[in-house]
Amino acid sequence: MQSFQPPRRFLMGPGPSDVSPRVLAALARPTIGHLDPEFQALMEEIKAALQRLFNAPDHACVPLPAPGTAGMEAAMMNLLEPGDRAVIAVNGAFGARMADMAGRAGASVVTVDHEWGQPVDPRRVEKALAEAPTKVLAFVHAETSTGVRSDAGPLCALARRHGALSVVDCVTSLGGIAVDVAGWDADVVYSGTQKCLSAPPGLSPIALSKRAQAAITGRKEKVRNWLLDFNLLMSYWGDPDGRGGGGRTYHHTAPINALYGLHEALAALFEEGQQAAIVRHARMHQALAAGIEAAGLAFLVDEAHRLPQLNTVRVPDGVDEAAVRAHVLTHWDLEIGAGLGPLKGQVWRIGLMGASATAWHVRLCLTALCEALAAQGCKVDAPAALAAADAKLAA
């Protein structure tokens, strides 16, 4: 057995994104114990940074020791008990996964199904909420399977109006577009580190409101997931003595070096500025979109609802989409994503996330994609695509 040497890839799929050298260097720092006083001080910094990032000053914010899917499972398993009613808005693969998890928690699940590529319709959600008392309303803010953004504020307001707790999936949105937990008055919001934060996958930042915490502590039954039971988890991540870093009890061995990486990624984001990062993602999307359209290609999602960090491009008729992905990977070391579910074979998912949201990545993607399409006899205007992108980048 020999050491593994991964190839150098340029990650422009639906995640993970490229990880910066400074974050990779942070991951290699010496491991210390998960109850070491210095590490506990780092935990406090991470909690405060996540409150700032989510704009959730009154929420409990911690990174769960697993990928973004763990945030989804923690939300469902902690809030829902057998017999509770949950309304889940489904407009893509991850809304459907929410509904599956809510059912596994024993809830009575009502889905509000939408066409993939369309944002969640608050009017249809309100109709479902009005039909019966509801414990949880859940939806995806940035649907990774389609590249569509839904308006979180009105949906969280509907939850409040009908006495439900809101659960918002921000796995792809956090760090790339505005996430305003306090402004939305959301109850549980979770994300992942491997998208716009550009840290390695393996952690799921989550924010829980006081209402959500009260619902969890007031459960009739134990949470069905032990590792992600928030009552137990906070014995380690909480601050029992109120002074920071003291009084914690063992719950699990934290992924110490992964938390170094998250801390460094957050430091880099705050150095750039949260609003500056959002503007950067928007500018790179505008450049890529101009190039895609100049090349004669089209988007799945209407412009008003597109995510800048997840671009879903329709595959032209007669093109083998898997062969295009294989071409750009083989010849350009570039990864782009395939469609999921009903969109399989019909779209590519192109990520502009975190460290992968640069002008260099935009030009690389357009050049490689046009070459791969031309190799299949598809007529695309590569010079026009690059010129259109460059015009947006220069603006």
Side-chain angles (χ1 to χ4, degrees):
M1 187 174 183
Q2 298 180 341
S3 298
F4 176 65
Q5 297 295 332
R8 176 67 173 98
R9 304 292 197 201
F10 306 107
L11 302 179
M12 296 188 68
S17 61
D18 285 349
V19 178
S20 72
R22 66 182 283 183
V23 172
L24 291 174
L27 294 166
R29 291 170 185 159
T31 303
I32 58 177
H34 61 283
L35 293 175
D36 187 295
E38 292 297 322
F39 184 71
Q40 293 189 34
L42 179 76
M43 292 167 65
E44 290 301 307
E45 286 194 21
I46 290 173
K47 286 162 59 178
L50 291 177
Q51 286 181 314
R52 177 180 171 186
L53 181 62
F54 279 117
N55 188 31
D58 295 325
H59 286 57
C61 296
V62 299
L64 300 176
T69 301
M72 182 186 294
E73 185 158 57
M76 296 306 174
M77 294 300 172
N78 276 273
L79 293 182
L80 292 169
E81 298 188 69
D84 286 340
R85 185 175 191 260
V87 172
I88 316 291
V90 178
N91 64 336
F94 295 95
R97 187 174 293 182
M98 279 180 154
D100 186 358
M101 289 187 183
R104 290 169 187 250
S108 173
V109 179
V110 176
T111 61
V112 183
D113 296 307
H114 297 69
E115 182 182 350
W116 284 35
Q118 294 296 316
V120 174
D121 183 347
R123 293 169 298 180
R124 297 183 58 208
V125 169
E126 183 164 31
K127 183 179 178 182
L129 288 170
E131 290 173 352
T134 301
K135 178 71 171 295
V136 163
L137 166 64
F139 62 93
V140 179
H141 181 221
E143 179 53 75
T144 317
S145 62
T146 64
V148 70
R149 172 185 358 202
S150 294
D151 193 347
L155 291 166
C156 291
L158 287 176
R160 293 272 63 72
R161 191 180 311 154
H162 290 273
L165 296 166
S166 54
V167 174
V168 190
D169 182 314
C170 289
V171 169
T172 295
S173 52
L174 189 66
I177 56 176
V179 171
D180 186 1
V181 172
W184 299 340
D185 196 17
D187 288 302
V188 179
V189 179
Y190 60 86
S191 189
T193 50
Q194 75 277 17
K195 307 278 188 172
C196 295
L197 300 185
S198 278
L203 294 171
S204 178
I206 190 169
L208 293 97
S209 71
K210 289 181 170 61
R211 288 185 298 256
Q213 294 174 60
I216 295 166
T217 56
R219 289 175 60 96
K220 301 181 183 70
E221 299 183 3
K222 288 184 177 181
V223 177
R224 294 187 175 189
N225 185 311
W226 189 93
L227 177 63
L228 302 178
D229 181 339
F230 198 70
N231 292 315
L232 300 176
L233 193 69
M234 288 309 291
S235 67
Y236 176 56
W237 271 98
D239 184 17
D241 67 1
R243 295 191 298 271
R248 291 187 172 88
T249 59
Y250 169 72
H251 175 260
H252 68 283
T253 302
I256 293 153
N257 290 63
L259 289 164
Y260 295 168
L262 172 59
H263 184 273
E264 193 69 22
L266 293 170
L269 178 59
F270 293 143
E271 286 173 16
E272 179 182 7
Q274 287 176 257
Q275 187 58 38
I278 289 170
V279 170
R280 172 169 56 86
H281 282 86
R283 286 189 66 244
M284 296 309 112
H285 162 72
Q286 291 163 4
L288 180 68
I292 288 291
E293 290 168 351
L297 304 174
F299 282 83
L300 172 73
V301 178
D302 290 342
E303 184 175 359
H305 305 297
R306 286 179 200 160
L307 290 170
Q309 64 270 51
L310 199 288
N311 299 265
T312 309
V313 177
R314 293 186 182 276
V315 177
D317 292 340
V319 168
D320 181 343
E321 70 84 17
V324 168
R325 287 186 290 110
H327 182 104
V328 299
L329 187 66
T330 300
H331 295 280
W332 293 88
D333 287 320
L334 173 65
E335 178 185 280
I336 61 174
L340 298 177
L343 297 178
K344 184 177 181 180
Q346 298 183 30
V347 298
W348 296 293
R349 291 182 297 153
I350 300 173
L352 288 170
M353 300 180 185
S356 297
T358 73
W360 186 89
H361 284 84
V362 169
R363 299 187 95 259
L364 170 70
C365 182
L366 289 171
T367 302
L369 186 60
C370 287
E371 179 187 277
L373 287 167
Q376 291 195 39
C378 183
K379 293 183 179 180
V380 289
D381 192 338
L386 288 170
D390 285 344
K392 289 290 184 180
L393 292 168

